[in-house]
Structures are given as C-alpha cells and as structure tokens.
Amino acid sequence: MTIDLSTTLGPAWFPAPIFTASGCASSGRELAQFFPLKNIGAVVTKSIMLKARPGRPTPRMAETPSGMLNSIGLQGPGIDSFIANDIPWLVDQGARVIVSIAGETVDEYASLARRLRSVPGISALEVNISCPNVENRGMVFACDPVSARAVIDGVRRTLGGDLPIIAKLSPDVTDIVSIAREVVDAGADGVALINTLLGMVINVDTMRPHLGGKTGGLSGPAIRPVAVRAIYQVHQALPKLPILGMGGVRSGRDAFEMILAGASGVSVGTATFGNPRAAIDIQTALGAILEEKGFTSLRSAVGFAHRNDATEMEGEN
Ligand code: RRO
C-alpha cells in the first residue's frame, strides 16, 4: 500500500510532510550532500532581514540536558544577497522553499514582503515574529497580541493575495491561542509552532553567563512536550488552521505525535546537527508508522488525538 504523504499549509501544497526548521540548515546547501532536498516537503530558510547582520558575540551555543541553547542573533547575508544567490540555488535543486523573514519593525517586515512577493519559486513566507535573541523583549512581537497582529497585517496588506503567510509563534506566552487568533484575523494562512523557549546557562566555573548574548533559545527533545501542548491547544481552538509543528522532533514517532496533536507538517531542526539525514529519515519512518496504524493518508491523521473514540478511524481514511 502506498500512503499519500502529501500535505497542505493553507493554499500551499507539498508532496511530503517533513520540512527543515528555520535556522538549522541555513539555505540547505550543506544538507544537499546528504539527500535530495526535493524529497522533503520544503526547505524553510534561516530568517532573513533587510540588511546583512553579523549576529551575536560568541559563544553562541550551549548543550543542555536533552537540548541546546542558541544565541545566533539573526546572522545572515541580508535580503539582496539571499534573493540573488539562495533562492535560485534552491529552485535549481527542485526544492520547495518557505522563506522565513524577520524585522525590527512592522515596516521592515512589510519591506521584506514587498521584495519577495514577485520572486519565483517561493511556496510561502514564514513570518518569524518570535526570535528570542533580540535586544529587547519588546521586539518579540509574538509575545504581544497587538504587535503580533500589526506585523501580520502589514505583511498581508503588502502581499495582497500573492503568497501564503505562516506566522511563527513563541511558546513564551500565557495564552498561545489568543496570539494565534490575532494573527489569523490579520491574514495569516497558518502558524508555525513553536520557536525556541528563552533560556540561560551560567558557567559555574567562571561564574558568568555562558553565552555571549547571555540568554538563548532552548531547542531539542526537552521542549517537545511544550510544542505538542501548543499544537494541541491551537488545533482544538482553531481546527481548520494549518499548523507547521516543530520542537525537538528526532524520530518518526515524534513527528507522528505532532500530527496527532494537529500539525499538518513537521519541521526538523536540532536533530539535524547530530544526523544531517534526520529530516529524510524521519519522513520515511513516519510513512511506515502511518501505514502500521492503518492510515492511507497523512491528512487523515492530522488532529487524530482530538477524537473521542479511536475506533472512529475505521472506514474514514
Ligand atoms: O537567530 C537566532 O538567534 C534565532 C532565531 Br531568528 C529564532 O527564531 N529562534 C532562535 O532560537 N534563534
């Protein structure tokens, strides 16, 4: 039996359900030596800003129990170089591309959208309003409903109907459902759940913060239950809203858990550092699990954990 692994995130269609997670594979060049990028759902590129940016001081990473902290600080080449070099390369590979954008102001997000709206080969924009590694918490737009809405509203107005918008949200909020409602009202087609959690490590030998930027974003298996909870809550409140799930996925079972919670696609990030084939391996394993559980399509498993009676599945997929 062949399982239909294709999926959609709003109007965007993908032949496969596993994606890279923004920031963990840059624009995909290093990963391409391990598997054809066209074989996964899409490459989600590192969040790009208008101008080139060096990022935060080193050290920028710290290992933690079942996870890691990063404090990259939006290092990148800026939108001009990205459009000239990275997108055409990905399109040449036959990969689907979700471009992640980040700005310091509402206008900067809108300017990025204006630059990208007519670039061929882009499946969707991930609007990253939740980078934890910024100068002040006021710039984590996803932590405030009014700011979250303003960014998505500005991007939607700029794009018109041209590209699907996936708003990337932060778990560092009291009520993630209320933020999801705001971005959907403002025109987001889907949400990416979750960005990293704000964390910190102090080196007890030097008695100083370990990271150059002091705080960092926590990722890896340690945060998976937080991600599953966020996906479950948002799917329960907004069952039609497409969700790209992520946070500590390192096996087919982990990806399946997010699908059951309500994700239509799953991004793999931190696991890639240990196994560059993680995304494709997880996709293969997910297909086998779906088959073993009796599903004929990925889409029929989305949100399955919300059903009261697991026997409902019979004859429905
Ligand atoms: O660049 C970063 O430090 C970073 C970003 Br933009 C983000 O969205 N999440 C994260 O953990 N790090």
Side-chain angles (χ1 to χ4, degrees), residues 31-279:
L31 279 196
Q33 59 189 302
F34 298 100
F35 62 89
L37 297 178
K38 65 177 183 328
N39 290 2
I40 57 171
V43 173
V44 185
T45 55
K46 165 77 183 159
S47 299
I48 194 81
M49 301 189 79
L50 274 182
K51 301 243 164 64
R53 191 170 157 114
R56 277 183 156 181
T58 57
R60 291 174 169 184
M61 285 169 116
E63 279 196 55
T64 60
S66 295
M68 58 171 265
L69 286 178
N70 84 81
S71 174
I72 307 303
L74 285 150
Q75 181 186 348
I79 191 69
D80 290 335
S81 163
F82 179 77
I83 290 175
N85 302 311
D86 295 296
I87 299 183
W89 182 84
L90 281 163
V91 170
D92 265 5
Q93 303 295 305
R96 269 81 38 204
V97 187
I98 297 180
V99 175
S100 182
I101 60 170
E104 288 180 359
T105 61
V106 170
D107 284 347
E108 189 173 343
Y109 282 96
S111 301
L112 287 158
R114 198 168 301 117
R115 302 294 307 280
L116 289 161
R117 67 179 287 187
S118 53
V119 174
I122 302 176
S123 294
L125 291 192
E126 178 190 89
V127 181
N128 183 2
I129 51 175
S130 50
C131 175
N133 299 326
V134 288
E135 267 84 63
N136 66 69
R137 293 303 286 168
M139 282 168 62
V140 188
F141 300 94
C143 289
D144 173 62
V146 175
S147 307
R149 186 189 189 99
V151 173
I152 302 303
D153 185 59
V155 172
R156 178 43 81 209
R157 281 174 199 277
T158 307
L159 289 176
D162 274 355
L163 276 171
I165 294 173
I166 301 167
K168 186 156 187 181
L169 304 189
S170 170
D172 291 340
V173 292
T174 308
D175 179 11
I176 198 161
V177 170
S178 64
I179 308 286
R181 286 191 202 280
E182 293 292 338
V183 297
V184 170
D185 271 5
D189 299 280
V191 288
L193 303 175
I194 55 175
N195 209 319
T196 52
L197 287 83
L198 190 67
M200 187 173 189
V201 166
I202 292 173
N203 180 328
V204 293
D205 296 321
T206 64
M207 301 187 286
R208 297 284 184 280
H210 170 79
L211 294 168
K214 296 195 171 67
T215 56
L218 181 65
S219 64
I223 73 165
R224 203 177 72 243
V226 178
V228 171
R229 180 270 298 169
I231 295 164
Y232 191 93
Q233 285 181 326
V234 172
H235 185 76
Q236 187 161 47
L238 302 161
K240 296 208 175 81
L241 178 67
I243 298 173
L244 180 59
M246 71 209 67
V249 170
R250 59 176 175 179
S251 70
R253 286 176 69 87
D254 297 345
F256 185 50
E257 187 184 7
M258 289 197 175
I259 302 288
L260 294 172
S264 294
V266 175
S267 279
V268 174
T270 303
T272 303
F273 298 128
N275 170 19
R277 286 185 49 83

